[in-house]
Amino acid sequence: MSTSNANLEKKRHSLAHLLASAVLEQFPDAQLGVGPVIEHGFYYDFKLPRPLTPEDLPKLEQRMKELAKLKLAFERNEKSFAEAKTFFESQNQPFKVELIGDIEKFGTTEAKTLQQLDAQLLPDNSNDGTVSLYKTGEFIDLCRGGHVENTSEIEPDSFKLDKISGAYWRGDQANDQLQRIYGLAFETKEELEAHVALQLELEKRDHRVVGPQLNMFLFHEYAPGIPFYQPNGVVVRNELEKFVREVSYGKGYSEVRLPQLFDSELFKTSGHWEHYKDDMFTLESEDRTFGLKPMNCPGHMLLYKQSLYSYKDLPLRFAEMTTLYRNELSGTLSGLTRVRAFGQDDCHIFVTPEQVTDEVASLLERTAKIYEVFGMKIEQVTIGTMPEKALGTKAEWQPATDALEAALKKAGWDYSLEEGDGAFYGPKIDMRIKDVLGRYWQLATIQLDFQMPQRFELEYVDSDGTRKTPIVIHRAILGSFERFMGILIEQYAGALPTWLSPVQVAIVPVSEKHTEFANEVLEKISQSLPNARVEVDSRSESMGKRIREASKMKTPYILVVGDKEIETNSVSVRGRNDADLGVQSIDDFISNLTSEINERK
Amino acid sequence: MSTSNANLEKKRHSLAHLLASAVLEQFPDAQLGVGPVIEHGFYYDFKLPRPLTPEDLPKLEQRMKELAKLKLAFERNEKSFAEAKTFFESQNQPFKVELIGDIEKFGTTEAKTLQQLDAQLLPDNSNDGTVSLYKTGEFIDLCRGGHVENTSEIEPDSFKLDKISGAYWRGDQANDQLQRIYGLAFETKEELEAHVALQLELEKRDHRVVGPQLNMFLFHEYAPGIPFYQPNGVVVRNELEKFVREVSYGKGYSEVRLPQLFDSELFKTSGHWEHYKDDMFTLESEDRTFGLKPMNCPGHMLLYKQSLYSYKDLPLRFAEMTTLYRNELSGTLSGLTRVRAFGQDDCHIFVTPEQVTDEVASLLERTAKIYEVFGMKIEQVTIGTMPEKALGTKAEWQPATDALEAALKKAGWDYSLEEGDGAFYGPKIDMRIKDVLGRYWQLATIQLDFQMPQRFELEYVDSDGTRKTPIVIHRAILGSFERFMGILIEQYAGALPTWLSPVQVAIVPVSEKHTEFANEVLEKISQSLPNARVEVDSRSESMGKRIREASKMKTPYILVVGDKEIETNSVSVRGRNDADLGVQSIDDFISNLTSEINERK
């Protein structure tokens, strides 16, 4: 969530009530699902007698504004499970009745997609035999609380209804199909407008549109959520992998390539079979059950176990970029952002407890250096400490958490503690990255893990000859290549830095008689930069058309060569956005290009 | 098969009869499976009352030699199905009865692993209601024929029984477990001895042993048939992939990365679902059936179909190295040679009919160039023509076959026609490659395909504006990376050429005080060759031990540096097999190393 502003959360939550209220006025038979706060606003799900159209939104929005002006309060009312169910049955609200049933049975709602539900909208998990209802004007909802004092706190122009989409009750295709109304809400009208303007800009940059236009990737219904990398996308991916090998990994790392298909026994040992099986693709062969790996860690533990290591071998760093598979619900898939198959700049570092601080400090430095290359900044750093449900003892957690703090201090970084936000197997450092569009991303993560090494009974021989259990650091810096490519395409609106561009130089001879010279220029560039991606476009199309096409494909440099250039052994250089970079000698052009590519600009 | 010598085949086949005869004498209750000719010899499968031990082989071999000396003939006898079954029932030979039943029912034996059975051992598929039996001495076998005139043609010292292994009847784990006896057989004693000597040498070089010793790869029961590439193996694999991108593909190729998991609908269109499903891993997700791709072609057809291409866009070359999966029977898996997951230097080239000859000619040239790098030679080239069961008409096949012949002529290569040896979808060129150990490999293949483009309804716009169907050339030059790595490890006994070696230079300082200079040498090499793989071993182990370890890991160059080297700014160079390459100036060493690596030596 891009805001931790509790007040804004309350406004958004309150607006969800107003939306439901407005919908019920217009559709008295509407059945209500849930209406959580989300990034930038809120939504609410409804079962309605007819499909909504975009024209419905202004009317509902108008009614919400009117309701807001009525200074409505949120009156809390506690009911027993039975009373609450009877009430919602009388209102013909079967989804609410179902939720109350789950709270009664499980002490919580066993929603399949609980993460999608805002905890605020659900009653306390206090198990005191009651649930809370909130009344706003005429409208009563099952709700845990967390509203504005009264609705006049909401500035009428600070929110708007945004869009409609389909949704299944509890995200399950087997259930009723509902209609979801999304709303945007901010503190002020200005913030809303800025957000809408940014969204418009982002729509133009949407990687799902720009990527296929640039022959980077496409999707096909035969492989939902798995990108087909087209030739230009493979160039970018290969460059990123090379970058990862050189910079994100570097000399001290051992790249491995393990199977993508493992016997389920592996995942039983790692714990994934118990906790993660539903998100895995599984298959049978010769009466054995296999799973496509959703993460690299189990394989890395198994590989470590095949040799006996001494403390002198540590830190031992297994790095891997092979494809991971997750059986995500098809309804949740989206472009490169939410996929079923992806690679990562993943690594598992096996260390002694004494090595944690230095290793993490060096990872922090590396992370900052990496994001600088892409014009991004690390804006916020948190340490997640021992959560309520954690494996291991406080005595194990404290020194590990201290080691992370020591690493951050050593690196001289500001950070805050997020109490209870660690993974169940150990504390972690999360980094929020800000891109040049001002968007925030959770990409880099450094996690300590005491548990998996124990489950796999991993050992190293310490200096005193005793066998000890190593600690594992899980680390990814760019995160998923797929998601990172999506972010890059949007950040740069497809005009990737020269070193990443699929074609770096397009040479356009003015007419046929200049083609030979164009090829000579290409040859000269290739001699200095054997891996440079240079093309001569000598098709019998007009010069204007050829320049436009190269420009449309976001080629960083277009060299036009005609009589004048041949005479002076030079090239006329056009940069992006039709920038005229003037006539340059071939050597000067090559020398500039070389430093640009070598410095990854 | 490494021989096409029909006479030798007859001897091997005759020896299988003698083996069965000798086994029946010793074990009158033995039940006989099949006994085909294989590369280097023959085998026969038996169900026996006790497990065989290696000590049984000399006795059986001795008896075979005695039988051979008896100048036994092979008497043919034709029987109706019923007669033949009654006969084998009376002999308590249920497997033979089952085979006859299959021949009667299907006109052939529907053996699950028919490719493992030698057609010679099975009767003609003539459907005349009879099968042939052959009598040799007292022994009668179900057999199609193809023997020596009499057994005295077999030189007694030209064959030997080699080994015992388990096998399932028809290769199916659900069936009876049999014992298989393998025999070696050649024309002469000398050839047999040469073969045995080579085998002994190969055992020392066995990639399944050498690979793990060199930290290249290992296997684990959790992923049968799927290698775990360890760090050194990844270095080799990455270098091979780089080589493929630069040389096997080169400028005109478009690398793509398509999903590895596709809806079964794709494979229904391509025909794999009908013909290849049993060899595929399949799984379910959200009520859809998916398959892990066993080949790249279906995906490439689908990708082609996403755009409209003009004749000007052809040849269009989609190259892909992502992992392919085949659900091979676990019993058939072996090292890197027979795996369940592998990559290829695979490519599908979409061409107009007019482009076939030039494209293929250039592929031939490329292939020869590539094998030269690995010291291998193309020894034999064949064109496989239209088989009996083929898709398409003779009118389609002839010009395609002509185009392949024209390409071979253009390249100036000798070749022979193998009538009927084409793939069912088109004619092909196969190349037998000879490695430096004198072993032959079928690695490179160039296949024409008219069928899959039709099944996918692919089109291009021709110069006259009409829509036409492209021809597809399937090509792989190295073939599977896994198998090729296995071959390389054995050919070089692990001592890979410098450009492929995981560590190229190990620097060993004589004592601690020379470590600084060792690091300077490393730094100097890295400045000239940023991607060179150089390590300083400054562990507190004896110099001798550090040199031995680097040598055991087949490091091509070990540089020893001490007082003398520091004084003269030089390095003492040791090559492989303890070769003393003398004291060299650092610059000379770097300059030699640079050309060696750049020339892929």
Side-chain angles (χ1 to χ4, degrees), chain A residues 276-481:
Chain A
Y276 208 77
K277 184 168 172 269
D278 287 347
D279 292 309
M280 287 173 61
F281 290 106
T282 62
L283 57 85
E284 305 286 321
S285 169
E286 294 181 359
D287 297 325
R288 291 168 70 174
T289 302
F290 291 84
L292 287 170
K293 66 179 173 187
M295 299 177 190
N296 285 314
C297 25
H300 290 184
M301 303 295 144
L302 190 63
L303 181 62
Y304 182 96
K305 207 176 161 64
Q306 304 313 304
S307 308
L308 179 61
Y309 294 102
S310 126
Y311 71 101
K312 292 180 193 167
D313 298 314
L314 308 187
L316 181 73
R317 306 176 186 91
F318 288 150
E320 181 157 9
M321 297 191 270
T322 60
T323 308
L324 306 173
Y325 288 87
R326 298 187 186 168
N327 192 6
E328 306 281 357
L329 293 173
S330 55
T332 65
L333 300 171
S334 169
L336 294 177
T337 315
R338 188 76 176 257
V339 290
R340 283 183 167 175
F342 59 98
Q344 285 186 316
D345 63 333
D346 203 9
C347 188
H348 295 92
I349 308 175
F350 299 79
V351 291
T352 68
E354 300 73 34
Q355 291 170 334
V356 171
T357 298
D358 281 356
E359 188 67 24
V360 171
S362 112
L363 282 176
L364 293 171
E365 220 174 283
R366 201 177 280 251
T367 307
K369 197 169 135 196
I370 285 169
Y371 279 104
E372 217 176 292
V373 173
F374 301 100
M376 299 179 184
K377 275 192 184 141
I378 299 168
E379 282 280 314
Q380 195 187 338
V381 180
T382 55
I383 297 182
T385 65
M386 189 174 182
E388 268 184 49
K389 286 189 186 169
L391 294 172
T393 62
K394 274 206 170 167
E396 284 177 314
W397 277 74
Q398 197 53 53
T401 311
D402 290 348
L404 292 185
E405 284 208 61
L408 282 160
K409 279 176 186 147
K410 191 176 170 196
W413 288 24
D414 287 337
Y415 63 93
S416 58
L417 291 180
E418 290 265 351
E419 296 294 348
D421 195 41
F424 69 92
Y425 46 73
K428 63 174 182 175
I429 296 180
D430 279 334
M431 284 165 257
R432 281 177 74 209
I433 314 281
K434 190 176 178 179
D435 73 10
V436 298
L437 299 173
R439 300 181 300 176
Y440 288 96
W441 301 96
Q442 179 66 60
L443 299 169
T445 185
I446 299 172
Q447 308 186 345
L448 293 193
D449 183 351
F450 327 105
Q451 297 305 323
M452 225 182 284
Q454 285 177 26
R455 295 182 76 116
F456 279 86
E457 299 176 343
L458 303 186
E459 291 180 337
Y460 65 94
V461 182
D462 207 352
S463 53
D464 59 4
T466 60
R467 303 276 174 113
K468 292 191 177 152
T469 306
I471 293 176
V472 166
I473 304 173
H474 302 243
R475 58 131 277 194
I477 297 183
L478 300 183
S480 133
F481 284 109

Side-chain angles (χ1 to χ4, degrees), chain A residues 106-139:
Chain A
F106 303 111
T108 178
T109 60
E110 282 289 292
K112 199 171 176 190
T113 53
L114 192 60
Q115 67 276 20
Q116 293 176 358
L117 305 179
D118 188 353
Q120 287 182 307
L121 274 196
L122 300 172
D124 273 329
N125 178 10
S126 52
N127 248 342
D128 64 354
T130 69
V131 291
S132 56
L133 273 50
Y134 277 85
K135 182 162 185 288
T136 332
E138 297 304 306
F139 172 64

Side-chain angles (χ1 to χ4, degrees), chain B residues 216-484:
Chain B
M216 295 257 195
F217 61 86
L218 54 83
F219 284 90
H220 190 282
E221 51 171 359
Y222 280 173
I226 313 184
F228 290 54
Y229 281 102
Q230 293 171 286
N232 286 343
V234 172
V235 172
V236 177
R237 172 69 179 256
N238 286 350
E239 281 291 343
L240 285 177
E241 290 193 358
K242 206 173 138 209
F243 172 75
V244 163
R245 285 195 178 107
E246 286 176 25
V247 184
S248 173
Y249 295 156
K251 290 274 179 205
Y253 282 64
S254 297
E255 190 181 345
V256 300
R257 287 199 195 191
L258 302 195
Q260 290 161 268
L261 192 63
F262 279 108
D263 193 303
S264 55
E265 291 302 322
L266 176 71
F267 301 111
K268 285 176 189 159
T269 305
S270 71
H272 287 83
W273 205 248
E274 194 185 341
H275 297 295
Y276 207 77
K277 183 167 173 272
D278 286 348
D279 293 309
M280 287 173 62
F281 290 105
T282 62
L283 58 84
E284 305 286 320
S285 169
E286 294 182 357
D287 297 325
R288 292 168 71 174
T289 303
F290 291 85
L292 285 171
K293 65 179 173 187
M295 299 177 190
N296 285 313
C297 25
H300 291 184
M301 304 294 143
L302 189 63
L303 181 61
Y304 182 96
K305 208 176 159 64
Q306 304 313 305
S307 306
L308 180 60
Y309 294 102
S310 128
Y311 71 101
K312 291 181 193 168
D313 298 314
L314 308 188
L316 183 72
R317 305 176 187 92
F318 287 150
E320 182 157 9
M321 298 192 269
T322 60
T323 308
L324 306 173
Y325 288 88
R326 296 185 187 170
N327 192 6
E328 305 281 358
L329 293 173
S330 54
T332 66
L333 301 171
S334 170
L336 294 177
T337 316
R338 189 77 177 256
V339 289
R340 282 184 167 175
F342 59 98
Q344 285 186 316
D345 63 333
D346 203 9
C347 186
H348 293 93
I349 308 176
F350 298 80
V351 292
T352 67
E354 299 74 34
Q355 291 170 333
V356 171
T357 298
D358 282 356
E359 188 67 23
V360 171
S362 111
L363 283 175
L364 293 171
E365 220 175 284
R366 201 177 281 249
T367 306
K369 198 169 136 196
I370 284 168
Y371 279 104
E372 218 176 293
V373 173
F374 302 99
M376 299 180 186
K377 273 191 186 143
I378 300 168
E379 281 282 313
Q380 196 188 334
V381 180
T382 54
I383 296 182
T385 65
M386 188 174 183
E388 269 184 48
K389 285 187 187 171
L391 295 173
T393 63
K394 275 206 170 167
E396 283 177 313
W397 277 74
Q398 198 52 54
T401 311
D402 292 347
L404 292 185
E405 285 208 60
L408 282 160
K409 280 177 184 147
K410 191 176 170 193
W413 288 23
D414 286 337
Y415 64 93
S416 59
L417 291 181
E418 291 264 351
E419 296 293 346
D421 194 43
F424 70 92
Y425 45 73
K428 63 173 180 175
I429 295 179
D430 277 336
M431 283 165 258
R432 282 178 72 213
I433 314 281
K434 191 177 177 180
D435 72 12
V436 298
L437 299 173
R439 299 181 300 175
Y440 289 94
W441 301 98
Q442 179 66 61
L443 299 169
T445 185
I446 298 172
Q447 309 185 344
L448 293 193
D449 184 351
F450 328 105
Q451 298 305 323
M452 225 183 282
Q454 284 176 26
R455 295 183 78 116
F456 279 87
E457 299 176 344
L458 304 186
E459 291 180 336
Y460 66 94
V461 181
D462 207 352
S463 53
D464 61 4
T466 60
R467 302 277 174 110
K468 291 191 178 151
T469 307
I471 293 175
V472 166
I473 303 173
H474 302 243
R475 58 131 277 191
I477 297 183
L478 301 183
S480 132
F481 284 109
E482 279 67 18
R483 194 158 75 112
F484 194 70

Side-chain angles (χ1 to χ4, degrees), chain B residues 511-527:
Chain B
S511 72
E512 215 186 310
K513 61 177 178 169
H514 310 110
T515 300
E516 197 188 325
F517 181 69
N519 286 323
E520 282 169 28
V521 174
L522 179 145
E523 202 46 53
K524 262 202 158 173
I525 299 174
S526 299
Q527 266 165 23

